[in-house]
Amino acid sequence: MGMAASAVGGKHLHTSWKHFVIIVITLLLLSTPSVCAQCRILRCNSDFVAANLEIGVIGGGGKEGANAGYCSALRSYALCTQRTARACRGDLAYHSAVQGIEDLLIQHRCPKTGPTAQPRPLPLPQAALSGDICFYEKGFMQREGRAPEYLHCGVFGDPHIRTFNEEFQTCAVQGAWPLIDNQYLYIQATSTRTRGSSYTTVLTKITVILKNWRECAELQMYQAELDNVPPAFVDGSVTGGDRRGHQSLRIHSHDPGRHAEVWATHIGTTIVVRQVGRSLSLSVRSPRAIVESYTPEQDLQLCVWGCPLSQRLETPYAHPSMPAYAHCSSLLPVRDVYFQACLFDLQVTGDLNSSASAVVALEDARVMISDPDRVHLLTDRAGNNPPSLPVVLALSVLVETLRHAFFGPV
């Protein structure tokens, strides 16, 4: 009897180690920039690891309880991958995770339907935990003794996207796409094809929804279209969330019809909408806690994860002797992502005025990013290129080798 119990315990410990090794290697695979920039599979994986730590699978524990909890964690993992499927199409790590989940569900005889692990609670804005919930930055500084960490997203030109995670991509997205979708803010951009082009697009409409937040601000909407960037909300007001003589929401414009700046002090967020040439542009500055306050269902946000891999465009090569190179160099001497955006727009459109969008986007970035060293995002950090074929093949071989080593031939 003792030997049998020991064998069962040893088998369970061995299985736990298999799980642990798989999880660690998966984390390493998913931590590469080429993967993280493509979809939110890393968050699914971290939730799965957190659930296993809570039920004690990695550290051991009772076999029956651990197996039931492990099945719940697997079902939650599967549900998470389903919700992010659209953004992860063609992603190697995503498809490997999906296959791995199927294998583990079968191996542990887990029903595909049943209870799931409880999701981790959303981070609350720090200001909500302190004195004045309608002054985000003030409340944060009173609580933490420092300013909050701010993130920046810029969308401009073709469009080009600088994400909150400091990735840079040029996208061919057409139609309406969510840029930001969290518990406090929703921003949607509509792109249409440029005349005479089959794949390039420009922003023609931007919709901003500031969600209701306690007594600080009621739901409010702002909408801008090409040739109409109004200095007011949709209802005609220019302020909102009046409280003790302070307005949580305000709109300012120094060029009505072509520029509008929305201030939402209760969430510490600034939104700038401009018309530059024949396209709109958007710049956002928001605290990290606000940016990250989304649920698994809010799984498509271009400002967070960038555009889908299938919708990304490469920047055409420009020799230094070409007129486009010389023109962009005169406007943007640093060879950063804004210089690359200038080259792309100028080569695609042939219009010298198209370079203005990159110049204006850089000016907004200088205002919104407090650290000057982070303003010029260099091209070698841009997330515009998919993983190279050798990397994809190497990862495929590694994943297949691990499957055979742990589970045997399938």
Side-chain angles (χ1 to χ4, degrees):
M1 180 72 179
M3 292 180 63
S6 177
V8 170
K11 182 178 180 181
H12 176 59
L13 181 60
H14 183 60
T15 302
S16 298
W17 267 106
K18 287 182 179 180
H19 297 158
F20 181 75
V21 172
I22 291 172
I23 290 168
V24 170
I25 293 176
T26 304
L27 276 171
L28 291 174
L29 291 174
L30 298 177
S31 296
T32 59
S34 60
V35 172
C36 295
Q38 294 166 21
C39 68
R40 60 181 300 277
I41 188 66
L42 180 58
R43 176 159 178 162
C44 295
N45 189 76
S46 64
D47 286 346
F48 176 62
V49 173
N52 280 326
L53 288 171
E54 289 179 3
I55 63 178
V57 169
I58 293 178
K63 184 174 184 186
E64 292 183 5
N67 191 65
Y70 187 67
C71 289
S72 295
L74 277 175
R75 284 190 290 266
S76 296
Y77 196 6
L79 184 60
C80 186
T81 59
Q82 291 168 16
R83 287 168 174 164
T84 192
R86 180 178 178 182
C88 295
R89 284 177 294 188
D91 188 287
L92 173 65
Y94 166 77
H95 292 290
S96 297
V98 171
Q99 184 60 53
I101 293 169
E102 290 292 326
D103 292 343
L104 290 171
L105 285 170
I106 294 171
Q107 178 185 348
H108 291 270
R109 299 179 180 179
C110 297
K112 290 190 175 182
T113 58
T116 56
Q118 292 297 316
R120 289 182 291 176
L122 290 170
L124 288 173
Q126 295 292 339
L129 304 176
S130 59
D132 199 329
I133 63 174
C134 296
F135 293 83
Y136 183 91
E137 184 167 327
K138 180 180 177 181
F140 188 98
M141 293 188 71
Q142 289 175 346
R143 173 183 167 82
E144 302 293 334
R146 60 178 177 85
E149 179 186 1
Y150 286 99
L151 304 179
H152 167 63
C153 175
V155 186
F156 60 97
D158 185 68
H160 312 284
I161 298 177
R162 176 177 178 156
T163 72
F164 286 125
N165 298 313
E166 297 196 344
E167 298 289 341
F168 179 77
Q169 298 155 11
T170 298
C171 304
V173 293
Q174 185 176 359
W177 291 74
L179 300 176
I180 298 174
D181 183 11
N182 57 50
Q183 299 300 91
Y184 310 96
L185 177 66
Y186 179 85
I187 300 180
Q188 176 179 281
T190 301
S191 298
T192 57
R193 286 182 181 175
T194 55
R195 186 175 301 175
S197 174
S198 59
Y199 62 91
T200 58
T201 58
V202 293
L203 295 183
T204 56
K205 184 177 181 179
I206 293 174
T207 302
V208 179
I209 298 177
L210 294 143
K211 301 179 183 181
N212 180 69
W213 173 242
R214 298 187 179 179
E215 68 270 24
C216 295
E218 296 180 353
L219 187 145
Q220 188 58 276
M221 179 184 295
Y222 176 81
Q223 194 167 83
E225 297 186 58
L226 205 60
D227 298 322
N228 182 24
V229 182
F233 293 108
V234 170
D235 63 4
S237 64
V238 295
T239 62
D242 294 342
R243 183 173 182 264
R244 299 177 185 174
H246 168 76
Q247 292 83 35
S248 296
L249 300 176
R250 287 182 293 157
I251 287 188
H252 163 76
S253 176
H254 59 68
D255 187 7
R258 301 185 68 85
H259 165 270
E261 189 164 332
V262 180
W263 297 323
T265 59
H266 64 296
I267 55 174
T269 299
T270 302
I271 303 163
V272 177
V273 180
R274 302 179 187 273
Q275 178 167 337
V276 184
R278 297 307 301 161
S279 68
L280 299 178
S281 69
L282 175 81
S283 294
V284 179
R285 179 178 185 260
S286 191
R288 178 178 290 277
I290 298 296
V291 170
E292 295 181 348
S293 65
Y294 52 81
T295 66
E297 290 79 9
Q298 295 164 312
D299 61 356
L300 183 60
Q301 302 182 61
L302 301 194
C303 271
V304 178
W305 299 294
C307 55
L309 184 61
S310 61
Q311 300 293 317
R312 298 181 192 176
L313 299 174
E314 295 288 344
T315 300
Y317 174 74
H319 192 274
S321 63
M322 295 177 63
Y325 196 98
H327 178 74
C328 291
S329 296
S330 66
L331 298 173
L332 301 158
V334 179
R335 303 299 187 264
D336 59 5
V337 295
Y338 300 100
F339 175 79
Q340 293 297 324
C342 176
L343 282 179
F344 184 98
D345 292 346
L346 187 50
Q347 291 183 87
V348 169
T349 66
D351 181 6
L352 291 176
N353 294 325
S354 65
S355 58
S357 63
V359 175
V360 172
L362 176 58
E363 292 174 354
D364 283 342
R366 285 196 177 106
V367 173
M368 293 188 169
I369 300 174
S370 58
D371 183 359
D373 294 334
R374 291 179 48 236
V375 172
H376 294 285
L377 191 61
L378 301 181
T379 54
D380 60 353
R381 295 172 60 193
N384 217 25
N385 298 322
S388 63
L389 181 58
V391 172
V392 171
L393 292 176
L395 292 177
S396 300
V397 171
L398 179 57
V399 170
E400 192 63 23
T401 301
L402 290 172
R403 287 184 56 200
H404 279 279
F406 293 128
F407 307 125
V410 179

